[in-house]
Amino acid sequence: MNSTENWPRHRQLDAQGRLQHLLAIDGLPRALLLEIFDTAASFINVGEKTMKKAPILRGKTVVNLFFEASTRTRTTFEVAAKRLSADVLNLNISTSATSKGESLLDTLHNLQAMQADMFIVRHEQSGAAEFIAEHVAPQVSVINAGDGSHAHPTQALLDAFTVQHFKGEFSQLCIAIVGDILHSRVARSEIMAFHALGVGELRVIAPKTLLPKAIESLGVQVFTHLDAASLKDVDVIIMLRIQNERIHSSLLMAEEYFYFYGLTLEKLRLAKPEAIVMHPGPINRGVEIDSAVADCPQSVILQQVTFGIAVRMAIMTLLAGQKHQSGVVG
Ligand code: CP
């Protein structure tokens, strides 16, 4: 599980082009991303009903297998699966037999012996979700909920869905991703998703030390300062936290980072007046984002979390081979 080049190698789509696993955005056609968004849009009102349930995954068992910390992704997957009427099993890795030395594959095979239908996997190793997808039974689906610094496809999809909801047609938009691009699986997946969706202009803004080598080859405009030039004409600003858990030594102190790269109201005014501010969370107030920005009317950070439920419901629905439009299950 070392090189992330040309991943995923494992097939995500079956011979008919239907989603079998969701491991990365790479290679997914635009039409499929739009089908996910249409399906997600049909689920938004489920959360607003008194009875927040659709029977799409009734009788199915979804297993949350999180080897790394999570608040938003794990809980929104749980809420999404329960709203689809699935049985949900959350394995607490810290108190599981993993701590007694059980291997990932043995854990997987034991859970599969309980007739699990879907695994939602987060792991600190890049490639872990793909590895699991290679070893599950053919009828079982795997969703990558974040693997190392490689990919976080459901975050990218819910972020793109949020952009579409607030800003409309992608081809008309200038989107800037700001912060620790080097270690961010969210940034990698977002770049793939926004390109697939035909975004007008995509910028990355970061200190040189937090930019991957040859980042330009991914078709982005690169800026190394958060200033009037890099924020000019920007419609969407996506802030990222510094992934301290993946950094062994840092050149910038938190206060210095905030001074140069933190988004304040003053810097936000350099973008388009109606620009929206996004962040996948968790946010570090006073490091990459000022509280005044995180809580301002242009911030859609909590809306991203709400949309995350609908987008994850859509992904699980398509993985189960179902369609859902206007409340009709078929
Ligand atoms: N955005 C995201 O992945 O958040 P969590 O780590 O809380 O799941």
Side-chain angles (χ1 to χ4, degrees), residues 69-73 122 152 155 280-281:
S70 169
T71 295
R72 281 144 291 271
T73 312
R122 172 170 288 189
H152 194 347
Q155 181 69 46

Side-chain angles (χ1 to χ4, degrees), residues 174-176 178 201-206 221-235 237 260 266-272:
C174 176
I175 299 177
V178 185
E201 186 179 344
L202 191 53
R203 301 179 184 174
V204 295
I205 307 172
Q221 301 283 331
V222 180
F223 295 84
T224 54
H225 294 92
L226 185 64
D227 58 13
S230 61
L231 289 172
K232 187 175 180 332
D233 297 329
V234 168
D235 298 283
I237 307 175
F260 289 111
E266 192 184 9
K267 285 184 181 158
L268 177 57
R269 285 188 204 107
L270 301 172
K272 279 193 182 165

Side-chain angles (χ1 to χ4, degrees), residues 10-66:
H10 192 76
R11 187 186 281 274
Q12 300 194 89
L13 305 177
D14 67 13
Q16 285 73 45
R18 289 178 304 222
L19 201 58
Q20 200 177 10
H21 303 288
L22 180 59
L23 306 173
I25 300 293
D26 314 41
L28 296 183
R30 174 186 158 91
L32 178 63
L33 305 191
L34 296 178
E35 187 182 6
I36 291 171
F37 294 170
D38 286 348
T39 309
S42 76
F43 282 128
I44 285 178
N45 68 352
V46 174
E48 289 157 7
K49 289 183 181 163
T50 317
M51 176 61 85
K52 298 181 177 57
K53 289 276 187 193
I56 293 171
L57 293 187
R58 191 155 55 199
K60 303 275 185 199
T61 302
V62 174
V63 180
N64 266 327
L65 202 50
F66 278 60

Side-chain angles (χ1 to χ4, degrees), residues 1 19 38 60 67 213 216 240 243 250 260 263 284:
M1 293 191 277
L19 201 58
D38 286 348
K60 303 275 185 199
F67 293 85
K213 285 197 185 88
E216 296 86 351
L240 301 174
Q243 307 254 312
S250 180
F260 289 111
L263 188 62
N284 288 138

Side-chain angles (χ1 to χ4, degrees), residues 5-311:
E5 262 178 51
N6 303 320
W7 281 2
R9 284 180 284 266
H10 192 76
R11 187 186 281 274
Q12 300 194 89
L13 305 177
D14 67 13
Q16 285 73 45
R18 289 178 304 222
L19 201 58
Q20 200 177 10
H21 303 288
L22 180 59
L23 306 173
I25 300 293
D26 314 41
L28 296 183
R30 174 186 158 91
L32 178 63
L33 305 191
L34 296 178
E35 187 182 6
I36 291 171
F37 294 170
D38 286 348
T39 309
S42 76
F43 282 128
I44 285 178
N45 68 352
V46 174
E48 289 157 7
K49 289 183 181 163
T50 317
M51 176 61 85
K52 298 181 177 57
K53 289 276 187 193
I56 293 171
L57 293 187
R58 191 155 55 199
K60 303 275 185 199
T61 302
V62 174
V63 180
N64 266 327
L65 202 50
F66 278 60
F67 293 85
E68 244 190 7
S70 169
T71 295
R72 281 144 291 271
T73 312
R74 198 198 63 72
T75 51
T76 54
F77 261 117
E78 181 173 353
V79 171
K82 285 180 172 170
R83 286 191 184 165
L84 292 172
S85 310
D87 295 317
V88 182
L89 207 157
N90 291 301
L91 190 68
N92 184 343
I93 295 300
S94 62
T95 56
S96 76
T98 302
S99 60
K100 298 181 194 168
E102 186 170 61
S103 75
L104 177 59
L105 273 188
D106 283 329
T107 303
L108 182 74
H109 288 145
N110 278 270
L111 292 166
Q112 207 170 251
M114 301 172 203
Q115 284 88 37
D117 296 289
M118 224 176 263
F119 287 103
I120 320 292
V121 181
R122 172 170 288 189
H123 202 284
E124 65 276 10
Q125 290 277 325
S126 294
E130 173 141 15
F131 177 74
I132 289 174
E134 282 165 4
H135 289 88
V136 290
Q139 74 279 9
V140 175
S141 294
V142 177
I143 302 177
N144 183 3
D147 61 329
S149 52
H150 170 232
H152 194 347
T154 63
Q155 181 69 46
L157 289 170
L158 77 88
D159 290 346
F161 181 81
T162 306
V163 169
Q164 187 189 53
H165 177 87
F166 284 103
K167 290 288 164 191
E169 176 52 44
F170 288 99
S171 64
Q172 304 301 312
L173 299 178
C174 176
I175 299 177
I177 307 174
V178 185
D180 182 2
I181 312 291
L182 179 62
H183 303 97
S184 175
R185 54 196 177 201
V186 174
R188 237 186 85 79
S189 293
E190 282 175 344
I191 290 169
M192 297 293 163
F194 288 133
H195 278 319
L197 291 161
V199 76
E201 186 179 344
L202 191 53
R203 301 179 184 174
V204 295
I205 307 172
K208 276 190 186 140
T209 51
L210 293 178
L211 284 168
K213 285 197 185 88
I215 178 79
E216 296 86 351
S217 66
L218 295 181
V220 294
Q221 301 283 331
V222 180
F223 295 84
T224 54
H225 294 92
L226 185 64
D227 58 13
S230 61
L231 289 172
K232 187 175 180 332
D233 297 329
V234 168
D235 298 283
V236 178
I237 307 175
I238 303 178
M239 300 304 297
L240 301 174
R241 75 180 173 91
I242 300 180
Q243 307 254 312
N244 284 315
E245 68 274 32
R246 301 184 218 288
I247 299 177
H248 303 298
S249 68
S250 180
L251 290 179
L252 286 176
M253 303 295 288
E255 297 78 14
E256 290 173 310
Y257 185 85
F258 182 68
Y259 179 77
F260 289 111
Y261 296 97
L263 188 62
T264 56
L265 285 176
E266 192 184 9
K267 285 184 181 158
L268 177 57
R269 285 188 204 107
L270 301 172
K272 279 193 182 165
E274 67 283 11
I276 56 169
V277 178
M278 297 173 54
H279 193 309
I283 62 173
N284 288 138
R285 292 169 186 262
V287 181
E288 75 274 5
I289 191 164
D290 194 13
S291 274
V293 174
D295 303 327
C296 81
Q298 284 166 263
S299 166
V300 298
I301 294 171
L302 293 179
Q303 195 66 60
Q304 287 172 259
V305 178
T306 306
F307 286 159
I309 298 171
V311 170

